[in-house]
Amino acid sequence: MANATTLSIKTDPETKALMQQATERIGLSVNAFVIMVAKNAAESDEIIIKNPAAAERAALAQALQYNTSHDAEMDWETLKAHYGV
């Protein structure tokens, strides 16, 4: 007989959609994805949370929208040289 524990996660529709997209990319169910991520985080000495806040996502969306109608003034190599990278 297997032992099971139920885990309930409350989130907003936007976060749920992001999780579903991530699970589809790697071929897992949302349940398996959440368990894998939580287990890895619990066992790790380093936990990194990179999901941007709503304000950052809005700023990124605005920047992407701007980029669709404006051409870049420098290519990647010129940009790196300009900033000394």
Side-chain angles (χ1 to χ4, degrees):
M1 178 187 301
N3 291 326
T5 301
T6 301
L7 175 66
S8 176
I9 299 173
K10 295 181 182 184
T11 188
D12 58 17
E14 185 177 292
T15 302
K16 182 179 179 182
L18 285 172
M19 289 171 58
Q20 287 173 326
Q21 290 170 9
T23 62
E24 289 171 8
R25 282 194 307 268
I26 59 176
L28 292 175
S29 68
V30 172
N31 188 54
F33 174 80
V34 169
I35 290 170
M36 181 185 75
V37 170
K39 185 173 184 287
N40 287 344
E43 292 174 349
S44 174
D45 288 336
E46 295 182 28
I47 298 174
I48 300 170
I49 300 173
K50 294 169 60 173
N51 192 17
E56 291 171 301
R57 287 192 300 272
L60 178 58
Q62 183 179 4
L64 292 171
Q65 177 61 34
Y66 177 88
N67 287 346
T68 62
S69 58
H70 294 83
D71 292 328
E73 295 177 8
M74 292 184 252
D75 64 13
W76 182 241
E77 294 304 319
T78 308
L79 188 64
K80 289 193 303 186
H82 179 77
Y83 288 101
V85 177

